[in-house]
Amino acid sequence: MSTEVVKNLGSRSLLAVFWGTGGAATRLFLQFGAQVVLARVLGPEQYGIFAIGAIVISFSNFFSDIGLAYGLIQKKSVSPSDIRFVFTWQIILGTVVTACVFFAADNIALFFGDPRAAGVVQALAVICLLNALAAPSINLLKRELDFKRIQISQISGFILGYVVVGIPLALAGFQVWSLVLAWLVQAMFVLGFAYRATRHAVRPLIHYDEARALSTYGGTVLFTNLINWMIGNIDRVIVGQVFASREIGLYATTYNMLQTPSSSILGIIQQVFFSASSRVVDNQQQIASTYRALVSAVATYLMPAFFSLAVVADTFIAALYGPKWSDSAEVFPAIAIAMPLFLIWGMSTPLLWTAGHASKEFKAQVPVALLWLIACWFAAQNSFAAVAWTVCGLYLLRCIVIIAAACRYLAIRPASVAAAAVGGLLISAFVAIGVGIADHLLHEIAPFIRLFLDVVVGAMVLFLCLRIFPSLVSTELARLNARILEKLPSRMARKMAFLSRQ
């Protein structure tokens, strides 16, 4: 690949990151605001019933897609036959899975011990079909790094679903159904917008010459995603099966509260990293450098926020969610600490997918998934807080296993990845200690004001650490910062130049 092509791809990737990050930030702001309002109105029990449906749909979605649409990103060139084949099977699989979920709803509710969940599961079943139909369009947009349209569709869909529909219905007393209808409206809007943006071929095609290659790749991605789902959700399944709806509402909402921003950030990084590295798959040195820079970025910029949240969990919940949710402080710190590990692990998977080694990720995580199931089950016999701390430890193990697999592919030492994160880990400790001291000194102030002041203190400590100790920023991250600063207005870039200084 020519230097000019690589340079252009790098510019497009940075532009995609800008659009993805900006869109994700906007969506997160809206999601967080809507979630706070809905949580205060509905309370843990209603969220617990909805969480049962969400767990079932998130699992079923994998079977309505089976990874075929991911192949549209991975292929070097995509033909109309590729798209027609994928879309045809998305319709078939989406319809079958929707029907299976609908008719299994009573048994699912029985498993979770709450008959009220049956109607919710049946209503949400159609989400499997809607998401299956949208997948080809969305992955075609990802292939072209067109994150502008992806973000517009997701932001607009969320506003229409949760702000325009969900909140008014919750205030009107529709309880869990306000969440159900909000999700359905959002999914329908995203489907319509994504298809309008791509206008891809829809004429049915059951089989063609390259069908086997797409199906094989899709099958590998399916099994990998299923293992990832099990690791990411089995704790919620066990909490829902062992405890009452209120506990699963507390656990799942706390988990979602922290994982939603993490997943949004990870989604942008994964999509851009996967799409871009697919084009420069032979340049392992460049990919390795970018990988270490991204690990360092998570440790330096995001880990301090999550560690600080773990320290001030009580203040955060009291300020935003209110007294109904006070018991969620039992699980909040453990899940907050786990999120940076989730992010670092998630950035490793595109490396294996790009190189055609998705099966290596699958093999590496099978024993981790089995351990996850056993450990969470035994922890649940104690308390749902014990489940959260068990999950935190398992995230660390998962992170180590998948990083080791990525390092083998890149032919780099795991110690070099650890070294990229050391500076960020020190900064995170300084910031968390500063925020914890401030929160303790301000304990008599109203929770919302105290939380605001905690944020100010944390930002100040982070800024001072970066300004006074620039050597804590890894070499790879400093280079990435320099490239990003080139895209900013010159005055702003000069003020932030210390981020690229060694």
Side-chain angles (χ1 to χ4, degrees), residues 420-443:
V422 167
L425 187 60
L426 291 173
I427 291 173
S428 299
F430 290 141
V431 174
I433 291 171
V435 170
I437 292 172
D439 190 73
H440 178 72
L441 294 175
L442 300 170
H443 70 279

mmCIF file with all atom_site columns, all heavy atoms in Angstrom, residues 420-443:
data_model
loop_
_atom_site.group_PDB
_atom_site.id
_atom_site.type_symbol
_atom_site.label_atom_id
_atom_site.label_alt_id
_atom_site.label_comp_id
_atom_site.label_asym_id
_atom_site.label_entity_id
_atom_site.label_seq_id
_atom_site.pdbx_PDB_ins_code
_atom_site.Cartn_x
_atom_site.Cartn_y
_atom_site.Cartn_z
_atom_site.occupancy
_atom_site.B_iso_or_equiv
_atom_site.pdbx_formal_charge
_atom_site.auth_seq_id
_atom_site.auth_comp_id
_atom_site.auth_asym_id
_atom_site.auth_atom_id
_atom_site.pdbx_PDB_model_num
ATOM 1   N N   . ALA A 1 420 ? 3.032   1.149  28.619 1.00 0.00 ? 420 ALA A N   1
ATOM 2   C CA  . ALA A 1 420 ? 2.250   2.242  28.044 1.00 0.00 ? 420 ALA A CA  1
ATOM 3   C C   . ALA A 1 420 ? 1.156   2.714  28.989 1.00 0.00 ? 420 ALA A C   1
ATOM 4   O O   . ALA A 1 420 ? 0.670   3.845  28.886 1.00 0.00 ? 420 ALA A O   1
ATOM 5   C CB  . ALA A 1 420 ? 1.641   1.799  26.711 1.00 0.00 ? 420 ALA A CB  1
ATOM 6   N N   . ALA A 1 421 ? 0.759   1.841  29.922 1.00 0.00 ? 421 ALA A N   1
ATOM 7   C CA  . ALA A 1 421 ? -0.339  2.178  30.832 1.00 0.00 ? 421 ALA A CA  1
ATOM 8   C C   . ALA A 1 421 ? 0.117   2.633  32.211 1.00 0.00 ? 421 ALA A C   1
ATOM 9   O O   . ALA A 1 421 ? -0.701  3.130  32.995 1.00 0.00 ? 421 ALA A O   1
ATOM 10  C CB  . ALA A 1 421 ? -1.255  0.962  30.991 1.00 0.00 ? 421 ALA A CB  1
ATOM 11  N N   . VAL A 1 422 ? 1.410   2.496  32.520 1.00 0.00 ? 422 VAL A N   1
ATOM 12  C CA  . VAL A 1 422 ? 1.899   2.787  33.868 1.00 0.00 ? 422 VAL A CA  1
ATOM 13  C C   . VAL A 1 422 ? 1.661   4.246  34.253 1.00 0.00 ? 422 VAL A C   1
ATOM 14  O O   . VAL A 1 422 ? 1.180   4.554  35.353 1.00 0.00 ? 422 VAL A O   1
ATOM 15  C CB  . VAL A 1 422 ? 3.399   2.439  33.990 1.00 0.00 ? 422 VAL A CB  1
ATOM 16  C CG1 . VAL A 1 422 ? 3.986   3.023  35.264 1.00 0.00 ? 422 VAL A CG1 1
ATOM 17  C CG2 . VAL A 1 422 ? 3.586   0.933  33.992 1.00 0.00 ? 422 VAL A CG2 1
ATOM 18  N N   . GLY A 1 423 ? 2.001   5.176  33.341 1.00 0.00 ? 423 GLY A N   1
ATOM 19  C CA  . GLY A 1 423 ? 1.817   6.593  33.635 1.00 0.00 ? 423 GLY A CA  1
ATOM 20  C C   . GLY A 1 423 ? 0.370   6.927  33.938 1.00 0.00 ? 423 GLY A C   1
ATOM 21  O O   . GLY A 1 423 ? 0.066   7.657  34.893 1.00 0.00 ? 423 GLY A O   1
ATOM 22  N N   . GLY A 1 424 ? -0.534  6.367  33.146 1.00 0.00 ? 424 GLY A N   1
ATOM 23  C CA  . GLY A 1 424 ? -1.952  6.601  33.365 1.00 0.00 ? 424 GLY A CA  1
ATOM 24  C C   . GLY A 1 424 ? -2.434  6.039  34.683 1.00 0.00 ? 424 GLY A C   1
ATOM 25  O O   . GLY A 1 424 ? -3.297  6.620  35.349 1.00 0.00 ? 424 GLY A O   1
ATOM 26  N N   . LEU A 1 425 ? -1.886  4.895  35.084 1.00 0.00 ? 425 LEU A N   1
ATOM 27  C CA  . LEU A 1 425 ? -2.268  4.297  36.356 1.00 0.00 ? 425 LEU A CA  1
ATOM 28  C C   . LEU A 1 425 ? -1.864  5.188  37.532 1.00 0.00 ? 425 LEU A C   1
ATOM 29  O O   . LEU A 1 425 ? -2.627  5.371  38.486 1.00 0.00 ? 425 LEU A O   1
ATOM 30  C CB  . LEU A 1 425 ? -1.621  2.914  36.488 1.00 0.00 ? 425 LEU A CB  1
ATOM 31  C CG  . LEU A 1 425 ? -2.044  2.062  37.685 1.00 0.00 ? 425 LEU A CG  1
ATOM 32  C CD1 . LEU A 1 425 ? -3.538  1.783  37.649 1.00 0.00 ? 425 LEU A CD1 1
ATOM 33  C CD2 . LEU A 1 425 ? -1.254  0.749  37.701 1.00 0.00 ? 425 LEU A CD2 1
ATOM 34  N N   . LEU A 1 426 ? -0.674  5.778  37.447 1.00 0.00 ? 426 LEU A N   1
ATOM 35  C CA  . LEU A 1 426 ? -0.226  6.706  38.499 1.00 0.00 ? 426 LEU A CA  1
ATOM 36  C C   . LEU A 1 426 ? -1.110  7.946  38.544 1.00 0.00 ? 426 LEU A C   1
ATOM 37  O O   . LEU A 1 426 ? -1.507  8.410  39.622 1.00 0.00 ? 426 LEU A O   1
ATOM 38  C CB  . LEU A 1 426 ? 1.236   7.099  38.249 1.00 0.00 ? 426 LEU A CB  1
ATOM 39  C CG  . LEU A 1 426 ? 2.277   5.995  38.460 1.00 0.00 ? 426 LEU A CG  1
ATOM 40  C CD1 . LEU A 1 426 ? 3.654   6.472  38.023 1.00 0.00 ? 426 LEU A CD1 1
ATOM 41  C CD2 . LEU A 1 426 ? 2.313   5.562  39.924 1.00 0.00 ? 426 LEU A CD2 1
ATOM 42  N N   . ILE A 1 427 ? -1.428  8.485  37.370 1.00 0.00 ? 427 ILE A N   1
ATOM 43  C CA  . ILE A 1 427 ? -2.307  9.656  37.305 1.00 0.00 ? 427 ILE A CA  1
ATOM 44  C C   . ILE A 1 427 ? -3.673  9.326  37.899 1.00 0.00 ? 427 ILE A C   1
ATOM 45  O O   . ILE A 1 427 ? -4.252  10.122 38.643 1.00 0.00 ? 427 ILE A O   1
ATOM 46  C CB  . ILE A 1 427 ? -2.450  10.135 35.844 1.00 0.00 ? 427 ILE A CB  1
ATOM 47  C CG1 . ILE A 1 427 ? -1.132  10.714 35.342 1.00 0.00 ? 427 ILE A CG1 1
ATOM 48  C CG2 . ILE A 1 427 ? -3.556  11.177 35.713 1.00 0.00 ? 427 ILE A CG2 1
ATOM 49  C CD1 . ILE A 1 427 ? -1.127  11.058 33.865 1.00 0.00 ? 427 ILE A CD1 1
ATOM 50  N N   . SER A 1 428 ? -4.189  8.151  37.584 1.00 0.00 ? 428 SER A N   1
ATOM 51  C CA  . SER A 1 428 ? -5.495  7.731  38.104 1.00 0.00 ? 428 SER A CA  1
ATOM 52  C C   . SER A 1 428 ? -5.495  7.685  39.628 1.00 0.00 ? 428 SER A C   1
ATOM 53  O O   . SER A 1 428 ? -6.466  8.096  40.276 1.00 0.00 ? 428 SER A O   1
ATOM 54  C CB  . SER A 1 428 ? -5.866  6.357  37.551 1.00 0.00 ? 428 SER A CB  1
ATOM 55  O OG  . SER A 1 428 ? -5.949  6.385  36.149 1.00 0.00 ? 428 SER A OG  1
ATOM 56  N N   . ALA A 1 429 ? -4.404  7.182  40.202 1.00 0.00 ? 429 ALA A N   1
ATOM 57  C CA  . ALA A 1 429 ? -4.305  7.120  41.661 1.00 0.00 ? 429 ALA A CA  1
ATOM 58  C C   . ALA A 1 429 ? -4.307  8.519  42.265 1.00 0.00 ? 429 ALA A C   1
ATOM 59  O O   . ALA A 1 429 ? -5.006  8.784  43.253 1.00 0.00 ? 429 ALA A O   1
ATOM 60  C CB  . ALA A 1 429 ? -3.031  6.365  42.055 1.00 0.00 ? 429 ALA A CB  1
ATOM 61  N N   . PHE A 1 430 ? -3.526  9.440  41.671 1.00 0.00 ? 430 PHE A N   1
ATOM 62  C CA  . PHE A 1 430 ? -3.471  10.816 42.175 1.00 0.00 ? 430 PHE A CA  1
ATOM 63  C C   . PHE A 1 430 ? -4.853  11.479 42.107 1.00 0.00 ? 430 PHE A C   1
ATOM 64  O O   . PHE A 1 430 ? -5.297  12.126 43.057 1.00 0.00 ? 430 PHE A O   1
ATOM 65  C CB  . PHE A 1 430 ? -2.467  11.644 41.369 1.00 0.00 ? 430 PHE A CB  1
ATOM 66  C CG  . PHE A 1 430 ? -1.035  11.256 41.600 1.00 0.00 ? 430 PHE A CG  1
ATOM 67  C CD1 . PHE A 1 430 ? -0.138  11.228 40.536 1.00 0.00 ? 430 PHE A CD1 1
ATOM 68  C CD2 . PHE A 1 430 ? -0.583  10.906 42.861 1.00 0.00 ? 430 PHE A CD2 1
ATOM 69  C CE1 . PHE A 1 430 ? 1.183   10.870 40.731 1.00 0.00 ? 430 PHE A CE1 1
ATOM 70  C CE2 . PHE A 1 430 ? 0.742   10.546 43.065 1.00 0.00 ? 430 PHE A CE2 1
ATOM 71  C CZ  . PHE A 1 430 ? 1.631   10.524 42.001 1.00 0.00 ? 430 PHE A CZ  1
ATOM 72  N N   . VAL A 1 431 ? -5.521  11.322 40.977 1.00 0.00 ? 431 VAL A N   1
ATOM 73  C CA  . VAL A 1 431 ? -6.827  11.963 40.788 1.00 0.00 ? 431 VAL A CA  1
ATOM 74  C C   . VAL A 1 431 ? -7.850  11.389 41.764 1.00 0.00 ? 431 VAL A C   1
ATOM 75  O O   . VAL A 1 431 ? -8.608  12.125 42.406 1.00 0.00 ? 431 VAL A O   1
ATOM 76  C CB  . VAL A 1 431 ? -7.309  11.796 39.333 1.00 0.00 ? 431 VAL A CB  1
ATOM 77  C CG1 . VAL A 1 431 ? -8.734  12.325 39.180 1.00 0.00 ? 431 VAL A CG1 1
ATOM 78  C CG2 . VAL A 1 431 ? -6.374  12.535 38.377 1.00 0.00 ? 431 VAL A CG2 1
ATOM 79  N N   . ALA A 1 432 ? -7.896  10.064 41.900 1.00 0.00 ? 432 ALA A N   1
ATOM 80  C CA  . ALA A 1 432 ? -8.863  9.426  42.801 1.00 0.00 ? 432 ALA A CA  1
ATOM 81  C C   . ALA A 1 432 ? -8.632  9.839  44.252 1.00 0.00 ? 432 ALA A C   1
ATOM 82  O O   . ALA A 1 432 ? -9.589  10.105 44.997 1.00 0.00 ? 432 ALA A O   1
ATOM 83  C CB  . ALA A 1 432 ? -8.781  7.903  42.665 1.00 0.00 ? 432 ALA A CB  1
ATOM 84  N N   . ILE A 1 433 ? -7.377  9.931  44.667 1.00 0.00 ? 433 ILE A N   1
ATOM 85  C CA  . ILE A 1 433 ? -7.072  10.360 46.035 1.00 0.00 ? 433 ILE A CA  1
ATOM 86  C C   . ILE A 1 433 ? -7.521  11.802 46.250 1.00 0.00 ? 433 ILE A C   1
ATOM 87  O O   . ILE A 1 433 ? -8.138  12.135 47.270 1.00 0.00 ? 433 ILE A O   1
ATOM 88  C CB  . ILE A 1 433 ? -5.563  10.212 46.322 1.00 0.00 ? 433 ILE A CB  1
ATOM 89  C CG1 . ILE A 1 433 ? -5.189  8.727  46.382 1.00 0.00 ? 433 ILE A CG1 1
ATOM 90  C CG2 . ILE A 1 433 ? -5.189  10.909 47.632 1.00 0.00 ? 433 ILE A CG2 1
ATOM 91  C CD1 . ILE A 1 433 ? -3.697  8.472  46.439 1.00 0.00 ? 433 ILE A CD1 1
ATOM 92  N N   . GLY A 1 434 ? -7.223  12.676 45.282 1.00 0.00 ? 434 GLY A N   1
ATOM 93  C CA  . GLY A 1 434 ? -7.633  14.076 45.394 1.00 0.00 ? 434 GLY A CA  1
ATOM 94  C C   . GLY A 1 434 ? -9.145  14.229 45.480 1.00 0.00 ? 434 GLY A C   1
ATOM 95  O O   . GLY A 1 434 ? -9.666  14.984 46.309 1.00 0.00 ? 434 GLY A O   1
ATOM 96  N N   . VAL A 1 435 ? -9.857  13.499 44.641 1.00 0.00 ? 435 VAL A N   1
ATOM 97  C CA  . VAL A 1 435 ? -11.329 13.564 44.645 1.00 0.00 ? 435 VAL A CA  1
ATOM 98  C C   . VAL A 1 435 ? -11.890 12.993 45.952 1.00 0.00 ? 435 VAL A C   1
ATOM 99  O O   . VAL A 1 435 ? -12.832 13.545 46.533 1.00 0.00 ? 435 VAL A O   1
ATOM 100 C CB  . VAL A 1 435 ? -11.904 12.807 43.430 1.00 0.00 ? 435 VAL A CB  1
ATOM 101 C CG1 . VAL A 1 435 ? -13.418 12.652 43.546 1.00 0.00 ? 435 VAL A CG1 1
ATOM 102 C CG2 . VAL A 1 435 ? -11.544 13.533 42.144 1.00 0.00 ? 435 VAL A CG2 1
ATOM 103 N N   . GLY A 1 436 ? -11.307 11.894 46.429 1.00 0.00 ? 436 GLY A N   1
ATOM 104 C CA  . GLY A 1 436 ? -11.773 11.298 47.673 1.00 0.00 ? 436 GLY A CA  1
ATOM 105 C C   . GLY A 1 436 ? -11.603 12.232 48.859 1.00 0.00 ? 436 GLY A C   1
ATOM 106 O O   . GLY A 1 436 ? -12.498 12.344 49.713 1.00 0.00 ? 436 GLY A O   1
ATOM 107 N N   . ILE A 1 437 ? -10.473 12.913 48.932 1.00 0.00 ? 437 ILE A N   1
ATOM 108 C CA  . ILE A 1 437 ? -10.231 13.864 50.021 1.00 0.00 ? 437 ILE A CA  1
ATOM 109 C C   . ILE A 1 437 ? -11.230 15.023 49.944 1.00 0.00 ? 437 ILE A C   1
ATOM 110 O O   . ILE A 1 437 ? -11.822 15.427 50.957 1.00 0.00 ? 437 ILE A O   1
ATOM 111 C CB  . ILE A 1 437 ? -8.779  14.397 49.963 1.00 0.00 ? 437 ILE A CB  1
ATOM 112 C CG1 . ILE A 1 437 ? -7.802  13.268 50.287 1.00 0.00 ? 437 ILE A CG1 1
ATOM 113 C CG2 . ILE A 1 437 ? -8.595  15.571 50.929 1.00 0.00 ? 437 ILE A CG2 1
ATOM 114 C CD1 . ILE A 1 437 ? -6.346  13.631 50.083 1.00 0.00 ? 437 ILE A CD1 1
ATOM 115 N N   . ALA A 1 438 ? -11.441 15.557 48.732 1.00 0.00 ? 438 ALA A N   1
ATOM 116 C CA  . ALA A 1 438 ? -12.384 16.667 48.561 1.00 0.00 ? 438 ALA A CA  1
ATOM 117 C C   . ALA A 1 438 ? -13.793 16.249 48.956 1.00 0.00 ? 438 ALA A C   1
ATOM 118 O O   . ALA A 1 438 ? -14.505 16.992 49.639 1.00 0.00 ? 438 ALA A O   1
ATOM 119 C CB  . ALA A 1 438 ? -12.359 17.140 47.107 1.00 0.00 ? 438 ALA A CB  1
ATOM 120 N N   . ASP A 1 439 ? -14.207 15.042 48.554 1.00 0.00 ? 439 ASP A N   1
ATOM 121 C CA  . ASP A 1 439 ? -15.554 14.575 48.875 1.00 0.00 ? 439 ASP A CA  1
ATOM 122 C C   . ASP A 1 439 ? -15.738 14.431 50.383 1.00 0.00 ? 439 ASP A C   1
ATOM 123 O O   . ASP A 1 439 ? -16.797 14.755 50.926 1.00 0.00 ? 439 ASP A O   1
ATOM 124 C CB  . ASP A 1 439 ? -15.805 13.232 48.178 1.00 0.00 ? 439 ASP A CB  1
ATOM 125 C CG  . ASP A 1 439 ? -17.255 12.800 48.255 1.00 0.00 ? 439 ASP A CG  1
ATOM 126 O OD1 . ASP A 1 439 ? -18.081 13.407 47.554 1.00 0.00 ? 439 ASP A OD1 1
ATOM 127 O OD2 . ASP A 1 439 ? -17.561 11.877 49.028 1.00 0.00 ? 439 ASP A OD2 1
ATOM 128 N N   . HIS A 1 440 ? -14.694 13.964 51.061 1.00 0.00 ? 440 HIS A N   1
ATOM 129 C CA  . HIS A 1 440 ? -14.772 13.804 52.518 1.00 0.00 ? 440 HIS A CA  1
ATOM 130 C C   . HIS A 1 440 ? -14.873 15.161 53.217 1.00 0.00 ? 440 HIS A C   1
ATOM 131 O O   . HIS A 1 440 ? -15.679 15.342 54.149 1.00 0.00 ? 440 HIS A O   1
ATOM 132 C CB  . HIS A 1 440 ? -13.546 13.048 53.026 1.00 0.00 ? 440 HIS A CB  1
ATOM 133 C CG  . HIS A 1 440 ? -13.515 12.886 54.511 1.00 0.00 ? 440 HIS A CG  1
ATOM 134 N ND1 . HIS A 1 440 ? -14.350 12.028 55.189 1.00 0.00 ? 440 HIS A ND1 1
ATOM 135 C CD2 . HIS A 1 440 ? -12.738 13.510 55.465 1.00 0.00 ? 440 HIS A CD2 1
ATOM 136 C CE1 . HIS A 1 440 ? -14.101 12.115 56.488 1.00 0.00 ? 440 HIS A CE1 1
ATOM 137 N NE2 . HIS A 1 440 ? -13.128 13.005 56.684 1.00 0.00 ? 440 HIS A NE2 1
ATOM 138 N N   . LEU A 1 441 ? -14.081 16.124 52.756 1.00 0.00 ? 441 LEU A N   1
ATOM 139 C CA  . LEU A 1 441 ? -14.092 17.448 53.377 1.00 0.00 ? 441 LEU A CA  1
ATOM 140 C C   . LEU A 1 441 ? -15.406 18.190 53.137 1.00 0.00 ? 441 LEU A C   1
ATOM 141 O O   . LEU A 1 441 ? -15.793 19.050 53.925 1.00 0.00 ? 441 LEU A O   1
ATOM 142 C CB  . LEU A 1 441 ? -12.919 18.283 52.843 1.00 0.00 ? 441 LEU A CB  1
ATOM 143 C CG  . LEU A 1 441 ? -11.515 17.782 53.215 1.00 0.00 ? 441 LEU A CG  1
ATOM 144 C CD1 . LEU A 1 441 ? -10.451 18.621 52.522 1.00 0.00 ? 441 LEU A CD1 1
ATOM 145 C CD2 . LEU A 1 441 ? -11.321 17.797 54.731 1.00 0.00 ? 441 LEU A CD2 1
ATOM 146 N N   . LEU A 1 442 ? -16.091 17.832 52.038 1.00 0.00 ? 442 LEU A N   1
ATOM 147 C CA  . LEU A 1 442 ? -17.332 18.531 51.669 1.00 0.00 ? 442 LEU A CA  1
ATOM 148 C C   . LEU A 1 442 ? -18.574 17.717 52.023 1.00 0.00 ? 442 LEU A C   1
ATOM 149 O O   . LEU A 1 442 ? -19.652 17.975 51.478 1.00 0.00 ? 442 LEU A O   1
ATOM 150 C CB  . LEU A 1 442 ? -17.324 18.816 50.160 1.00 0.00 ? 442 LEU A CB  1
ATOM 151 C CG  . LEU A 1 442 ? -16.176 19.692 49.638 1.00 0.00 ? 442 LEU A CG  1
ATOM 152 C CD1 . LEU A 1 442 ? -16.155 19.672 48.112 1.00 0.00 ? 442 LEU A CD1 1
ATOM 153 C CD2 . LEU A 1 442 ? -16.298 21.115 50.151 1.00 0.00 ? 442 LEU A CD2 1
ATOM 154 N N   . HIS A 1 443 ? -18.457 16.773 52.948 1.00 0.00 ? 443 HIS A N   1
ATOM 155 C CA  . HIS A 1 443 ? -19.547 15.819 53.190 1.00 0.00 ? 443 HIS A CA  1
ATOM 156 C C   . HIS A 1 443 ? -20.831 16.471 53.698 1.00 0.00 ? 443 HIS A C   1
ATOM 157 O O   . HIS A 1 443 ? -21.912 15.891 53.592 1.00 0.00 ? 443 HIS A O   1
ATOM 158 C CB  . HIS A 1 443 ? -19.094 14.739 54.175 1.00 0.00 ? 443 HIS A CB  1
ATOM 159 C CG  . HIS A 1 443 ? -18.896 15.235 55.576 1.00 0.00 ? 443 HIS A CG  1
ATOM 160 N ND1 . HIS A 1 443 ? -17.745 15.893 55.969 1.00 0.00 ? 443 HIS A ND1 1
ATOM 161 C CD2 . HIS A 1 443 ? -19.692 15.173 56.683 1.00 0.00 ? 443 HIS A CD2 1
ATOM 162 C CE1 . HIS A 1 443 ? -17.844 16.215 57.249 1.00 0.00 ? 443 HIS A CE1 1
ATOM 163 N NE2 . HIS A 1 443 ? -19.012 15.797 57.702 1.00 0.00 ? 443 HIS A NE2 1
#
